[in-house]
Amino acid sequence: MMPIVVATDVRKTFGSVQALNGVSIEIPAGQVLCIVGPSGSGKSTLLRCINQLERIDSGAIWVDGELVGYRRVGNKLYELTDSEIARQRLTNGMVFQRFNLFQHMTALENIIEGPVTVQKRRRNEVIDEAMVLLERVGLSAKRDAYPSELSGGQQQRVAIARALAMKPKLMLFDEPTSALDPELVGEVLAVMKDLARSGMTMIVVTHELGFAREVANEVVFMDRGAIVERGSPQEVLVHPQQQRTRDFIAAVLA
Amino acid sequence: MSSTTAPSSIGTGQTARFDPSIAHLTHVPRRHYGRWIASALILAAFALVVKAFAEGQIDWPVVGQFFTAQSIISGLGNTIIMTICAMALGITLGVLFAIMVMSPNPVLKGIAVFYIWFFRGTPLLLQLLLWFNLALVFPRIGIPGLFEARMVDVMTPFVATLLGLGINQGAYTAEVVRSGILSVDAGQTEAAKAIGMTRLTTLRRIVLPQAMRVIIPPVGNEVISMVKLTSIASVIGFAEVLRNAQTVYYANARVIELLIVSAGWYLIIVTILSIGQHFLERYFARGSGRRSRPAAPSVVES
Ligand SMILES: Nc1ncnc2c1ncn2[C@@H]1O[C@H](COP(=O)(O)OP(=O)(O)O)[C@@H](O)[C@H]1O
Ligand SMILES: [Mg+2]
């Protein structure tokens, strides 16, 4: 099966910090990949590079068969323009740790903003779809609520619906439950499990090892900008081979 | 129930401190004697001022007579039109140059920094005089082959005032808009990019509407100062309300009466604008959590 994301030897530094130190990874379509690892290990940076919120220093990333950020002409890679990069991002939906809902828009307006403004689709048709998405994340009653009137869990579910409204082929989640009160984590994970069951390709950075064990097809453990260990949830989370992985899992479960 | 159940951990003999019957006593608010005295003094002073004006050498019927005089009303119209045009130009330039100042392109950034430096760094009156006398530097204006005109014909008092006030205003508004843009969380921009928005769409749809909450109050103040600032254009002969009042009192020598007429009109415009500002601020505060909204109208649930 054709992989939907291919990254080869991706490197990224911030000043003197090596955030990504030669990361290579492949994700087949329809799979759920969970990335775990200590804080500062480069997990967010990897997601952000895939979605071009950061520019990589070297290496290459392909998403859905397209080279990300550059056009190859002969032996040179030419940087894409702002609007070409925006078009490439349409393949991915992204969910942030801090939700980042548009504060001046209601839940419904947040969801239809992309389809209407970016994809120039008809408003009525988009609203119908948005209502189906709100229903799916269990928030039909909150369509006219502003983000400041929603709990963290509700905001994150709207954020997921907003990403899905663009009909992405790949969903990127960056610690979607880390900013939530413990009792609100479950409702967000439930929506994500439902999404995984529907066959969506997902890359999920998370500290929820239970979720990873239940939903992931593959788990990657990252540390200091590199992939230390990868394999099935069983292999990485239950019988890790590397000492660093064992230490991390022990620390999370403690 | 019985007061013998009062807390015992404090120690014996102290139950009086927690006497529950105190809950039935009447509350007496603090008396603000100082406020009453100050208010009385200020009211007395105010009454004296009013009395002085009423008995002073002011011919109030003349004030009434000129309040709606044709030349005052036409001057008022010019003041309002100039305020609107100069503010529109100022806000347009302000947004444009704020975006340029924050641009990664060093040329655009450099131009914007120079603009703000120059127009904030020189007196407005000087800028007005420069525009009005531009013909001394460039006698003719135009694009060769397309059109050409004499500068003195183009640079009328209206145009010179508009350019002077609007361009000067833009330099200040640029800084206001810039701080408004900076006040919007970077996560908003990232979320906008993530749904495929370009830089400009993000600015227009996501960042600027949220920046408005920060931008509106100072810009509202600037509109109000602009109403009054138009009066300095009287020096280059722009027929706004103060200029026309002066023209009238040069003829009839009713100086104070006509100044009172102008003051009255300025106060009326500024009052109306302040009310408008209040509603604009409320509109752009939507979603900020400071406004309590009625519960969402019930929606048909599927
Ligand atoms: N914008 C940035 N500027 C400077 N340093 C950054 C930036 N983003 C990330 N880093 C650094 O890169 C490293 C990896 O960060 P990140 O990818 O956020 O880690 P994780 O998500 O695994 O916690 C960290 O040391 C972090 O401080
Ligand atoms: Mg992170």
Side-chain angles (χ1 to χ4, degrees):
Chain A
M1 192 189 288
M2 194 178 91
I4 209 158
V5 178
V6 178
T8 52
D9 199 25
V10 173
R11 286 167 200 276
K12 172 76 188 174
T13 55
F14 294 104
S16 60
V17 178
Q18 275 272 357
L20 292 179
N21 202 354
V23 170
S24 301
I25 203 166
E26 272 190 21
I27 300 134
Q31 300 250 302
V32 176
L33 174 81
C34 282
I35 304 178
V36 298
S39 171
S41 58
K43 309 179 297 293
S44 297
T45 305
L46 179 58
L47 284 195
R48 293 165 61 82
C49 287
I50 291 173
N51 209 16
Q52 305 192 59
L53 293 176
E54 305 288 353
R55 205 166 54 181
I56 60 178
D57 296 338
S58 68
I61 300 175
W62 288 264
V63 173
D64 197 27
E66 247 189 276
L67 180 63
V68 153
Y70 296 90
R71 182 187 305 111
R72 182 172 175 174
V73 180
N75 281 331
K76 291 209 175 85
L77 293 179
Y78 292 92
E79 213 177 306
L80 296 183
T81 63
D82 186 40
S83 57
E84 287 168 322
I85 290 174
R87 183 188 54 75
Q88 285 194 333
R89 287 201 186 101
L90 294 179
T91 314
N92 322 324
M94 187 155 189
V95 175
F96 300 87
Q97 182 173 349
R98 303 204 53 253
F99 330 133
N100 297 349
L101 286 182
F102 304 133
Q103 297 295 316
H104 59 311
M105 297 182 180
T106 62
L108 182 70
E109 288 168 344
N110 264 278
I111 297 173
I112 66 173
E113 179 62 20
V116 171
T117 304
V118 178
Q119 295 176 324
K120 309 265 184 261
R121 296 179 47 207
R122 283 193 30 245
R123 196 182 169 87
N124 285 344
E125 164 192 319
V126 173
I127 288 179
D128 291 344
E129 285 180 18
M131 286 312 294
V132 173
L133 284 169
L134 274 174
E135 175 76 37
R136 185 166 166 191
V137 299
L139 290 171
S140 311
K142 298 290 186 186
R143 56 170 269 174
D144 295 322
Y146 283 94
S148 59
E149 299 164 332
L150 297 174
S151 75
Q154 291 171 332
Q155 288 188 59
Q156 193 62 296
R157 287 186 280 152
V158 172
I160 293 172
R162 173 176 70 181
L164 291 176
M166 302 296 287
K167 306 194 169 139
K169 294 185 177 171
L170 165 72
M171 286 285 286
L172 307 169
F173 293 84
D174 190 2
E175 298 199 35
T177 58
S178 296
L180 297 179
D181 292 335
E183 76 272 20
L184 302 178
V185 168
E187 64 191 53
V188 172
L189 292 182
V191 167
M192 291 169 64
K193 282 178 198 167
D194 173 58
L195 194 57
R197 268 194 298 274
S198 75
M200 175 63 77
T201 313
M202 297 163 59
I203 306 180
V204 184
V205 173
T206 186
H207 292 302
E208 297 291 331
L209 299 189
F211 172 84
R213 224 174 4 238
E214 185 183 336
V215 178
N217 300 98
E218 189 171 23
V219 175
V220 163
F221 173 73
M222 279 182 76
D223 192 18
R224 288 181 229 149
I227 292 176
V228 174
E229 190 160 351
R230 63 185 298 179
S232 69
Q234 196 71 11
E235 286 164 343
V236 178
L237 300 176
V238 184
H239 306 293
Q241 301 300 303
Q242 303 289 327
Q243 188 58 43
R244 275 193 276 172
T245 318
R246 271 182 230 136
D247 292 345
F248 171 76
I249 290 168
V252 170
L253 294 181
Chain B
M1 292 277 180
S2 125
S3 63
T4 54
T5 58
S8 57
S9 60
I10 306 294
T12 51
Q14 300 215 344
T15 43
R17 266 207 201 169
F18 303 99
D19 178 7
S21 66
I22 200 170
H24 305 295
L25 301 185
T26 318
H27 291 209
V28 180
R30 194 187 318 156
R31 298 277 153 82
H32 298 283
Y33 297 110
R35 284 186 204 170
W36 286 107
I37 294 168
S39 306
L41 287 175
I42 288 167
L43 277 178
F46 187 70
L48 283 178
V49 171
V50 170
K51 184 164 177 288
F53 270 88
E55 294 174 350
Q57 300 287 323
I58 298 172
D59 197 347
W60 289 102
V62 172
V63 172
Q65 179 195 333
F66 278 97
F67 205 75
T68 51
Q70 208 256 321
S71 99
I72 295 295
I73 296 296
S74 96
L76 183 69
N78 284 339
T79 294
I80 293 172
I81 290 169
M82 181 54 69
T83 303
I84 294 170
C85 294
M87 228 35 232
L89 180 62
I91 292 173
T92 310
L93 290 175
V95 171
L96 200 68
F97 281 97
I99 294 169
M100 281 169 68
V101 164
M102 302 176 85
S103 152
N105 181 330
V107 176
L108 293 183
K109 189 184 164 84
I111 291 172
V113 167
F114 176 82
Y115 164 82
I116 293 171
W117 170 77
F118 182 82
F119 287 98
R120 285 208 310 184
T122 53
L124 176 58
L125 182 56
L126 185 151
Q127 291 170 30
L128 273 183
L129 292 171
L130 273 182
W131 287 112
F132 193 54
N133 293 299
L134 208 59
L136 299 178
V137 191
F138 309 106
R140 305 192 71 78
I141 180 177
I143 300 167
L146 273 175
F147 78 95
E148 213 188 13
R150 292 194 322 154
M151 183 63 90
V152 281
D153 297 333
V154 174
M155 201 52 76
T156 59
F158 180 88
V159 173
T161 306
L162 174 61
L163 292 177
L165 293 178
I167 292 176
N168 183 265
Q169 185 57 50
Y172 286 93
T173 309
E175 287 296 282
V176 172
V177 173
R178 191 174 70 93
S179 60
I181 290 174
L182 287 177
S183 76
V184 178
D185 181 40
Q188 297 286 305
T189 306
E190 296 198 337
K193 284 182 180 173
I195 58 168
M197 285 191 183
T198 57
R199 216 173 88 85
L200 274 181
T201 312
T202 303
L203 214 59
R204 182 172 61 81
R205 293 288 306 165
I206 306 301
V207 176
L208 281 179
Q210 293 185 67
M212 282 301 180
R213 202 157 55 82
V214 173
I215 293 173
I216 291 282
V219 168
N221 279 338
E222 284 173 358
V223 173
I224 284 167
S225 13
M226 180 64 84
V227 174
K228 294 167 291 170
L229 222 45
T230 51
S231 65
I232 92 167
S234 56
V235 299
I236 58 169
F238 179 62
E240 42 69 53
V241 77
L242 185 59
R243 168 86 181 189
N244 285 5
Q246 285 179 305
T247 310
V248 173
Y249 73 59
Y250 289 146
N252 70 3
R254 301 290 196 173
V255 177
I256 295 297
E257 288 79 1
L258 278 143
L259 289 179
I260 291 176
V261 166
S262 317
W265 277 116
Y266 282 116
L267 285 171
I268 290 172
I269 304 178
V270 167
T271 306
I272 294 171
L273 286 174
S274 306
I275 296 169
Q277 181 182 5
H278 168 77
F279 285 103
L280 257 186
E281 282 178 20
R282 229 177 45 172
Y283 173 75
F284 280 108
R286 73 192 190 282
S288 71
R290 283 187 304 160
R291 185 179 55 150
S292 60
R293 280 158 27 88
S298 59
V299 182
V300 185
E301 301 272 328
S302 43

